[in-house]
Amino acid sequence: MDRVRQGRPGLRRRIGAAIAVGAAAALAVTALAAPAQSADVKAPHAKAADVRAADVNVAKNAGFEADLSNWTCAANSGAAVTSPVHGGAKALKATPSGQGTAECSQIVSVKPNSTYKLSSWVQGSYAYLGARGTGTTDVSTWTPGNSSWHQLSTSFTTGANTTSVTVYTHGWYGQSAYYVDDVSVLGPDGGGGTDPVEIPAVPSGLAAGAVTSTSVDLSWTPVSKATGYTLYRDGTKVASVGGASTTATGLTPDTAYSFQVSASNAAGESAKSTAVSARTAKGGGGGGGTVPKHALTGYWQNFDNGATVQKLRDVSSQYDIIAVSFADATTTPGQITFNLDPAVGYASTADFKADIAAKRAAGKSVILSVGGEKGTISVNSDASATAFANSAYALMQEYGFDGVDIDLENGLNPTYMTKALRQLSAKAGPKMVLTMAPQTIDMQSTSGGYFQTALNVKDILTVVNMQYYNSGSMLGCDGKVYSQGSVDFLTALACIQLEGGLDPSQVGLGVPASTRGAGSGYVAPSVVNNALDCLTRGTGCGTFKPSKTYPGLRGAMTWSTNWDATAGSTWSNTVGPKVHSLP
């Protein structure tokens, strides 16, 4: 959601895991297929006996714990990030642009006439791993795309005079960022030194501590040589941890869970520990706020971009949640402020505050949206998390906002955003309204930062109104690709959230109010209503029909109340009554 005229034409197109099948096939049969070999096909000399106990990992900074030390990324395309990671605290994120593939490489010291096993963990679209300058046959392997970590591996043999080899990873033209972690070039030491070669021992002493209705405290015995730990819940990776304790959050009340933990360093990841079981305390389901069981959300523009300029008092009474767009960043990381734009016509800030009070008196919730396409708010440390919570709460007190909406479209750190929202909730109390508006790519998998954050704060979360537009084709919960602008796109993607851990009351359908409200993905209000009926009643479906109904579905959202007004309020007058009549 942004401030440009007539929708969001400047929005970057994020293709991700759900790139259209035809396009993927076209790439696969052209340049992609030529240099690559399957991850399951090893070079002729890659025999198990070649990897001896004395072998070492000749790659330096293999887990990117020292940022990009020892690595070179073309055109400054790479950076070390703290999420997502496979092991330890950091991983590589590299982003292709233009005709570049975002190659990152390292020259490693090797012994002649020796065999090396090359592997790494990757995530994202079209991730490659390879070695060149081997003196024999150069090798590479790749994967077309994974929304979770996937291991690539191959082997190469050095020539009679080869003492160094370039190992590299890269993405593909026009695709989104890819991630790499825990690179291993395992073989005889070429004299260049080595990262830790021994995989850490399996952690012991895993125990559950204090529990709440949505969290469990966990701790274990530290492992020598481990640089990080991975927490698994019911067999699925849910968190990367730096120390020997963590709190599993975003859980369902009165539910039994099984937890395991593994240890890792640059050499790899240990096996999982013995499982420990814990049951959360009894309590209410997902909550946050006092909005109606079924609610209509609309974003109000604090700027003039060609849509109808409104004051809050002019916003249709159909809207139950009004998200004031947007908060502004300050020079302090994480801190936000709000600047009323003179273009919207308020005589004074007091007049604006009076409109907020009037809407609240009418039973509406007015919240402050943080982000938008051009939002620059970054919460990636304890200090910035605290700054966010303190400044957001100060604005709630000053203006009378009921809560906040998280619409960060340029990246989100789940660890620190979770901390920020929990600090804010502790200050604001149980009636705080907390909404989110992620893009479709952000909610394709529970391993994504946005999805993780939503699950982490499930007990205080009001609703996630994913933006079902400006995205292109995406995967539905049945693994099939659906085109935006259809009832199937709405229902099959909503199914991912509904089956991925969110309560139905925490899922809403976010769509443009008119063709001018977004660059692509507009659907008629009647299609939105069909999708609502399909998800809650099992009627009005397209080719995709969910295996069960979700009568508790929260409702729908639109960008924006201003574009809705420009189109004669057709959207709110059509979708609003449908939402309010849901079972």
Side-chain angles (χ1 to χ4, degrees):
M1 299 168 186
D2 72 63
R3 310 183 184 205
V4 298
R5 184 174 297 274
Q6 295 189 10
R8 311 171 65 195
L11 178 68
R12 66 183 185 284
R13 306 302 292 271
R14 304 172 68 184
I15 300 177
I19 186 168
V21 174
L27 287 171
V29 299
T30 55
L32 288 178
Q37 56 183 346
S38 167
D40 295 327
V41 179
K42 296 181 172 61
H45 301 286
K47 300 178 182 178
D50 291 329
V51 181
R52 299 173 296 277
D55 287 346
V56 299
N57 183 7
V58 297
K60 299 285 190 65
N61 188 27
F64 302 95
E65 301 304 305
D67 296 330
L68 295 185
S69 176
N70 301 106
W71 292 91
T72 300
C73 294
N76 296 316
S77 56
V81 295
T82 57
S83 178
V85 299
H86 176 261
K90 295 180 182 179
L92 168 69
K93 176 183 180 181
T95 307
S97 62
Q99 295 300 308
T101 61
E103 179 177 292
C104 295
S105 62
Q106 178 180 153
I107 299 175
V108 299
S109 298
V110 296
K111 281 189 174 182
N113 296 319
S114 300
T115 297
Y116 290 82
K117 181 179 179 181
L118 173 64
S119 67
S120 71
W121 289 87
V122 298
Q123 183 178 144
S125 296
Y126 294 96
Y128 280 71
L129 175 69
R132 58 175 174 260
T134 62
T136 57
T137 301
D138 292 349
V139 298
S140 67
T141 181
W142 65 282
T143 176
N146 292 277
S147 58
S148 59
W149 288 106
H150 171 79
Q151 189 175 38
L152 294 176
S153 61
T154 185
S155 297
F156 63 87
T157 300
T158 56
N161 299 309
T162 304
T163 58
S164 65
V165 169
T166 298
V167 296
Y168 64 88
T169 183
H170 67 71
W172 199 247
Y173 311 111
Q175 302 302 301
S176 56
Y178 68 95
Y179 300 85
V180 180
D181 204 358
D182 297 333
V183 179
S184 178
V185 189
L186 197 62
D189 186 1
T194 176
D195 273 357
V197 65
E198 295 182 3
I199 294 175
V202 178
S204 60
L206 177 62
V211 300
T212 69
S213 61
T214 59
S215 67
V216 175
D217 288 343
L218 298 160
S219 62
W220 55 91
T221 303
V223 177
S224 175
K225 298 182 180 179
T227 58
Y229 302 90
T230 300
L231 178 67
Y232 292 84
R233 184 181 70 222
D234 297 331
T236 299
K237 177 181 175 180
V238 292
S240 296
V241 184
S245 65
T246 190
T247 299
T249 59
L251 308 180
T252 301
D254 195 24
T255 302
Y257 293 94
S258 176
F259 297 97
Q260 292 172 285
V261 67
S262 66
S264 60
N265 61 18
E269 181 181 2
S270 75
K272 301 182 185 70
S273 69
T274 301
V276 63
S277 296
R279 177 176 287 273
T280 50
K282 294 182 179 180
T290 55
V291 298
K293 178 182 178 181
H294 300 296
L296 198 71
T297 301
Y299 284 77
W300 175 83
Q301 298 178 183
N302 179 41
F303 48 87
D304 179 6
N305 68 343
T308 298
V309 174
Q310 291 181 312
K311 294 184 174 66
L312 284 177
R313 71 192 71 154
D314 302 323
V315 174
S316 169
S317 61
Q318 292 286 351
Y319 292 102
D320 304 291
I321 303 174
I322 303 169
V324 171
S325 310
F326 295 98
D328 296 309
T330 74
T331 56
T332 300
Q335 187 180 71
I336 61 174
T337 187
F338 178 75
N339 299 295
L340 186 62
D341 192 332
V344 298
Y346 277 103
S348 66
T349 301
D351 193 22
F352 174 68
K353 293 177 180 178
D355 270 7
I356 293 177
K359 281 294 184 182
R360 296 180 69 194
K364 312 300 180 181
S365 295
V366 183
I367 60 178
L368 179 60
S369 184
V370 179
E373 183 200 357
K374 299 180 180 179
T376 57
I377 292 90
S378 179
V379 179
N380 53 19
S381 66
D382 285 325
S384 59
T386 299
F388 178 91
N390 289 343
S391 58
Y393 182 59
L395 292 172
M396 289 175 64
Q397 290 182 304
E398 179 182 356
Y399 287 90
F401 294 123
D402 292 284
V404 294
D405 167 70
I406 305 301
D407 181 22
L408 297 174
E409 300 179 13
N410 297 290
L412 179 152
N413 185 306
T415 298
Y416 294 106
M417 181 52 71
T418 297
K419 289 184 177 183
L421 294 175
R422 290 208 169 276
Q423 289 181 46
L424 177 58
S425 175
K427 293 174 179 291
K431 291 187 178 182
M432 182 184 81
V433 176
L434 172 59
T435 71
M436 295 183 176
Q439 298 175 101
T440 51
I441 189 67
D442 297 320
M443 302 299 283
Q444 283 276 282
S445 168
T446 55
S447 64
Y450 236 114
F451 214 139
Q452 288 181 36
T453 302
L455 294 175
N456 288 347
V457 298
K458 182 178 176 180
D459 56 314
I460 60 172
L461 176 64
T462 307
V463 63
V464 175
N465 291 305
M466 189 176 77
Q467 302 174 39
Y468 293 75
Y469 50 97
N470 285 337
S471 66
S473 299
M474 285 285 165
L475 290 174
C477 66
D478 57 355
K480 296 180 180 179
V481 177
Y482 292 96
S483 299
Q484 65 177 358
S486 65
V487 66
D488 288 332
F489 189 77
L490 300 178
T491 55
L493 269 69
C495 174
I496 297 176
Q497 301 170 60
L498 292 163
E499 293 299 313
L502 292 181
D503 190 85
S505 68
Q506 295 172 318
V507 176
L509 307 180
V511 296
S514 72
T515 55
R516 299 178 65 188
S520 64
Y522 171 76
V523 289
S526 60
V527 176
V528 180
N529 286 353
N530 286 340
L532 293 169
D533 278 336
C534 178
L535 292 169
T536 60
R537 298 184 172 97
T539 62
C541 303
T543 58
F544 173 82
K545 186 171 183 178
S547 59
K548 61 181 180 181
T549 58
Y550 308 90
L553 191 81
R554 181 67 80 172
M557 170 275 279
T558 195
W559 177 264
S560 63
T561 65
N562 304 74
W563 286 117
D564 184 26
T566 303
S569 298
T570 301
W571 192 89
S572 57
N573 287 336
T574 304
V575 180
K578 171 62 72 173
V579 166
H580 297 138
S581 67
L582 292 176

